[in-house]
Amino acid sequence: MNHVNLTPSQRQTLTQYLSIVQSSDTQEALAILESTHWNLETALISHYETTPHANDRLNLISNSTSSQRNAVNDNVPSQAEASTFPGGFPGMSSSNIEREAINPAANNTTRSFSDVIQRYLPFLSSIDITSNIRNSDFATLETQSKVIYIIQWIIYVPVLITYQVSSILFVILVKCFPIIRRLAQNRLGRKSEPTGLNPVQTANEFISSFQRYYDRTGELDWFEGGYSNALYVAKRDARFLLCYLHSAEHDDADEFVKEILLNEQFKLLLKEHNVLLWAGDVEKSEGYQASNALEIMKYPSLVLLSLKTSTQETPSGTTTSSPKLSVVSRIQGLIPTEKVIRRLKTQIDKLQPTLITIRTERQQAELSRMIRQQQDQAYQESLAKDQARETAKQEELLKQQRKKGWLEWKLSQMKPECTTPGQFSRIAVRLPSGARIQRCFSKNEETLEDIYTWVELNLQELIAGNEPLQAIDSNVSGPAGSIEYQFGFNLNSIMPRVKIDCDATVPIGQCNGVSPNGNLVVEMLYQ
């Protein structure tokens, strides 16, 4: 059969079949539809080759709906209307037809389960609760089903009522107290805020943002640090601390900044009294913690802190407590600029003398401490000098004792004056005092050091010329350990002027300046 000669109902069935099986072979589709007498369900079964059980099930569905299908086919809509329902049935798509045709048993099982859910679990249904079960349906339920249904309602109704009442109360509280919503938002913001941020970095970010949007000239001198650092600086320097708590979500934030913070009188007041200005964003953890510590309930806010002292009468007299940083003024929300300046100026003028007194006392205490430190330092330096002087004196005394012991030992070891003709050198020495001494030294047995030792003994007045001035102890032992005696003079020959070295290894006979005879003069090194 040519598809041109088809009736409108057959053409519609062909279109539905081709769309479901997703095929463009019209001749094959016409052959299958003609063999099934233009029954769409039977044609689909023939196409998909389902199991015999599925075929039997679908035949039952087809027979039960054949009369309805014929009625629909007799009233097939026009081509324009048919385009509205691609599957050919209002409210039924091609995918639904395919699903019902392929597995009707599973579809019926799903429908029966849905009916059970609708009947026994009313709170899962989107339909009105009163329409879930009619009285006639409830009466037909089994006793066990009735018990289950009643238990569900006993559990469901209180929960539903509690939820509805709680929701209504929360909405009322949020409307009446906006602070609850802001606190919840701030808490959520703190949870999402990354941890480990540096307070200095947070302060710099706020200052940069503030100067970019409000104060491009940077006239406000913000403290670049955290809240705890600002408290420490205010205590240390005895300064007023003004904390500004900013909330970008508040409607009055922009107007508060422009009308108050950027006011010329306000900036002049801060500059005249050297007020430390710190700011915190309540959406950040630093600002939120400062807000809680300062007990702020409305934003934006200004809080003035200052050191205060308190007096107390005691049996021993009036005592003054140590200065403590306290809140002296809170300005919460947008109020007239003149009122803000007046309140701040009143507290500043009231507490300024206290801060001046505290600073003066601290300066005096610091000055006293520095004076004591300088005195202690001078005492320690003087003590160190005295100790060094005493140590040097002891060392010098020990050195002199060792020198004297060495000279006494050399005196005891000094050989007699040589008188063997041709074996001695006659040495004459002029002392610094002008005296002239003379001695004959063995050319081969005595060295140049012996000449220096002889002159040193005369200078130290242990001998006069060659005669000892005190008894010589022959049992004097040599100095413990090695000692290098430092002579404080040089011996020079007169003509020509040549220095005679002090050498313990050179015999006198080998030195031209003193052999066979020598005329020397003493040149002192240390005057």
Side-chain angles (χ1 to χ4, degrees):
M1 178 182 292
N2 193 342
H3 68 280
V4 179
N5 300 324
L6 297 177
T7 63
S9 60
Q10 293 175 346
R11 191 180 297 109
Q12 181 67 26
T13 304
L14 176 63
T15 302
Q16 295 176 6
Y17 177 86
L18 291 176
S19 63
I20 292 173
V21 301
Q22 297 181 356
S23 175
S24 60
D25 192 350
T26 308
Q27 297 300 329
E28 181 183 1
L30 289 173
I32 295 176
L33 289 173
E34 288 177 355
S35 64
T36 58
H37 304 288
W38 294 92
N39 190 305
L40 181 60
E41 287 80 2
T42 307
L44 289 174
I45 292 174
S46 176
H47 175 77
Y48 288 107
E49 296 181 354
T50 57
T51 60
H53 175 74
N55 287 329
D56 296 338
R57 182 65 177 170
L58 189 57
N59 287 332
L60 294 176
I61 298 173
S62 178
N63 294 332
S64 62
T65 58
S66 59
S67 59
Q68 297 180 4
R69 299 295 181 184
N70 294 332
V72 173
N73 291 333
D74 293 338
N75 299 288
V76 176
S78 63
Q79 186 67 25
E81 294 173 347
S83 61
T84 307
F85 311 109
F89 299 94
M92 183 175 184
S93 63
S94 59
S95 60
N96 292 334
I97 296 174
E98 181 180 357
R99 184 164 56 250
E100 293 218 7
I102 294 175
N103 198 353
N107 190 43
N108 289 338
T109 303
T110 304
R111 287 180 179 177
S112 61
F113 181 75
S114 299
D115 293 339
V116 173
I117 294 297
Q118 292 286 346
R119 178 173 297 178
Y120 293 104
L121 299 177
F123 48 86
L124 296 178
S125 174
S126 59
I127 309 174
D128 187 12
I129 296 175
T130 57
S131 63
N132 286 333
I133 277 191
R134 298 184 297 272
N135 293 333
S136 59
D137 295 333
F138 183 79
T140 58
L141 293 176
E142 298 178 357
T143 304
Q144 182 179 2
S145 300
K146 291 180 180 180
V147 173
I148 294 174
Y149 185 80
I150 292 174
I151 293 175
Q152 289 178 352
W153 269 103
I154 293 175
I155 297 174
Y156 172 69
V157 171
V159 173
L160 177 63
I161 295 175
T162 303
Y163 173 76
Q164 294 292 342
V165 173
S166 301
S167 302
I168 295 173
L169 290 177
F170 182 76
V171 172
I172 294 174
L173 289 175
V174 170
K175 293 293 184 181
C176 296
F177 304 98
I179 186 64
I180 297 178
R181 178 175 60 85
R182 290 198 294 270
L183 291 176
Q185 292 175 349
N186 292 337
R187 192 172 298 276
L188 291 176
R190 291 194 311 280
K191 291 180 179 179
S192 60
E193 182 180 355
T195 58
L197 291 180
N198 188 356
V200 177
Q201 179 182 353
T202 304
N204 290 333
E205 290 177 356
F206 176 83
I207 294 172
S208 300
S209 177
F210 185 87
Q211 292 177 350
R212 183 168 58 254
Y213 289 104
Y214 301 111
D215 186 18
R216 295 185 179 273
T217 59
E219 296 183 4
L220 288 174
D221 186 15
W222 299 99
F223 177 75
E224 298 181 1
Y227 176 69
S228 58
N229 293 336
L231 294 177
Y232 171 76
V233 173
K235 292 179 182 179
R236 183 194 63 188
D237 300 339
R239 296 172 58 184
F240 287 102
L241 173 60
L242 185 62
C243 298
Y244 169 61
L245 298 173
H246 182 80
S247 177
E249 296 182 357
H250 201 281
D251 297 336
D252 298 333
D254 294 343
E255 187 175 358
F256 189 93
V257 172
K258 296 176 182 178
E259 296 295 332
I260 298 178
L261 298 184
L262 300 182
N263 184 274
E264 294 298 331
Q265 295 182 0
F266 179 81
K267 292 186 287 187
L268 182 62
L269 178 66
L270 300 183
K271 186 176 181 180
E272 286 181 351
H273 296 88
N274 193 23
V275 178
L276 186 65
L277 185 60
W278 178 85
D281 191 344
V282 296
E283 294 183 0
K284 305 293 183 179
S285 59
E286 182 82 8
Y288 179 76
Q289 293 174 5
S291 175
N292 288 339
L294 297 174
E295 300 179 356
I296 299 301
M297 301 300 295
K298 189 175 182 181
Y299 305 100
S301 299
L302 286 172
V303 181
L304 181 65
L305 296 92
S306 175
L307 288 174
K308 295 177 63 178
T309 58
S310 60
T311 58
Q312 184 178 2
E313 296 294 336
T314 61
S316 58
T318 303
T319 58
T320 303
S321 63
S322 59
K324 182 180 180 182
L325 195 63
S326 306
V327 175
V328 296
S329 179
R330 289 188 182 88
I331 299 173
Q332 305 186 57
L334 181 63
I335 62 176
T337 307
E338 295 78 7
K339 187 176 180 180
V340 172
I341 296 176
R342 184 170 60 254
R343 290 176 58 179
L344 294 178
K345 185 174 177 57
T346 300
Q347 294 297 330
I348 290 175
D349 293 340
K350 178 181 178 182
L351 296 173
Q352 186 71 24
T354 303
L355 294 184
I356 294 175
T357 302
I358 294 174
R359 285 197 291 265
T360 303
E361 292 177 352
R362 289 182 176 179
Q363 291 175 358
Q364 292 178 354
E366 181 66 17
L367 181 61
S368 300
R369 187 189 65 81
M370 292 179 61
I371 292 175
R372 288 195 303 271
Q373 184 178 0
Q374 293 176 357
Q375 291 176 348
D376 293 342
Q377 184 177 359
Y379 172 75
Q380 294 297 331
E381 291 177 355
S382 176
L383 181 61
K385 289 180 179 180
D386 293 341
Q387 292 177 351
R389 192 181 299 110
E390 184 67 23
T391 302
K393 184 177 179 180
Q394 294 294 333
E395 291 178 353
E396 182 66 22
L397 180 61
L398 180 60
K399 183 178 180 181
Q400 292 298 331
Q401 291 177 354
R402 295 185 66 184
K403 283 185 176 182
K404 185 178 179 181
W406 183 81
L407 289 175
E408 292 177 350
W409 174 69
K410 294 295 287 186
L411 178 62
S412 65
Q413 299 296 321
M414 191 172 63
K415 296 179 180 180
E417 189 174 4
C418 182
T419 58
T420 305
Q423 297 297 322
F424 64 85
S425 295
R426 182 177 285 107
I427 306 298
V429 179
R430 185 174 294 278
L431 300 178
S433 61
R436 189 173 181 271
I437 57 176
Q438 182 176 320
R439 178 180 171 84
C440 294
F441 290 90
S442 175
K443 292 181 179 182
N444 300 321
E445 296 181 359
E446 295 182 290
T447 63
L448 296 179
E449 185 186 41
D450 293 332
I451 300 176
Y452 271 83
T453 303
W454 172 63
V455 174
E456 181 70 12
L457 291 174
N458 279 274
L459 292 176
Q460 297 297 329
E461 297 181 352
L462 294 177
I463 61 175
N466 294 315
E467 299 296 330
L469 298 179
Q470 61 182 15
I472 299 175
D473 187 3
S474 59
N475 296 324
V476 176
S477 60
S482 62
I483 179 173
E484 184 178 355
Y485 191 87
Q486 298 292 334
F487 295 97
F489 58 90
N490 289 331
L491 294 177
N492 300 322
S493 61
I494 298 177
M495 292 299 293
R497 186 178 179 84
V498 178
K499 177 185 175 182
I500 306 300
D501 294 330
C502 179
D503 195 339
T505 61
V506 178
I508 293 176
Q510 296 181 7
C511 182
N512 295 330
V514 295
S515 180
N517 296 310
N519 193 6
L520 307 176
V521 63
V522 176
E523 181 183 4
M524 301 300 297
L525 297 178
Y526 308 105
Q527 299 298 332

